Amino acid sequence: MAKRIDVSGLNAYYGSFLAIEDISMTIEPRSVTAFIGPSGCGKSTFLRTLNRMHEVTPGGRVEGKVMLDAENLYGAGIDPVAVRREVGMVFQRPNPFPTMSVYDNVAAGLRLNGKYRKSELDDVVEKSLRGANLWNEVKDRLNKPGSGLSGGQQQRLCIARAIAVEPKVLLMDEPCSALDPISTLAIEDLIGELKERFTIVIVTHNMQQAARVSDRTAFFNLAAVGQPGKLIEIDDTERIFSNPSVQATEDYISGRFG
Ligand SMILES: Nc1ncnc2c1ncn2[C@@H]1O[C@H](COP(=O)(O)OP(=O)(O)O)[C@@H](O)[C@H]1O
Ligand SMILES: [Mg+2]
């Protein structure tokens, strides 16, 4: 099958510090890939290289190649802003624009992209909120501030905002770690639905979550603090959790370290 993402020989630095070294992996369209591994092994850093967010950090620098379909995201003449439209991101803490209404939060990305008629915006806002399983809860309060929603609703609002611009890929960095168990399950169910339309990459500290939501799992590790994080293996989730190829993966998932 054609790959949606094809990373090869990727290094990422903060100044002179090599945070992740020589990462290569492929990701298929309409799949969920989970990134797991101990704190500091570079999961978030790697995730942010996939939509050119890493370089926003002062000193942030990337070597290597990230192909999104036929395009190298680090090739000459590529506009990072356009990349971030194709590869959306959802963060650990729900971050709706605090002064904006529910409606305007979802419409924000579209408005940046150009002029839309009110009726077009209405359609996209409704479709995106439905897509994020939030419509029924907010349809009567579209003009109220997004920040007035519960934490779990805010996170689904952020997902609605991300999918409104129809990205190819959705990156999620521990999207449930600030949420209660019920809200977490709602997001996990949603991920299962969204993968019909989007390619999803999720960082999670929660092994059960990785096992529940993902098709593929990538285990990252680092030899010692100060050493670069590396991709140890990536395989079908079922295999990673039953019979991984590398002992360190087995040790990590069975809780012997990390
Ligand atoms: N803004 C930053 N400046 C300098 N070093 C950073 C920064 N962010 C992360 N790092 C370092 O990069 C390494 C990888 O961090 P990170 O990607 O956050 O790991 P993880 O998400 O797996 O916990 C760590 O050593 C971390 O201290
Ligand atoms: Mg992280």
Side-chain angles (χ1 to χ4, degrees), residues 23 29 51 56 68 76 101 131 154 164 175 180 206 216-217 250:
I23 312 274
N51 74 343
V56 172
L68 175 67
S101 66
Q154 286 186 27
D180 63 81
N206 180 326
R216 306 266 294 168
T217 296
E250 169 91 48

Side-chain angles (χ1 to χ4, degrees), residues 14 17 19 38-45 57:
Y14 294 95
F17 173 58
S39 206
C41 69
K43 305 178 296 295
S44 296
T45 301
T57 304

Side-chain angles (χ1 to χ4, degrees), residues 43-45 92 173-174 203:
K43 305 178 296 295
S44 296
T45 301
Q92 185 169 358
D173 196 350
E174 301 191 42
V203 175

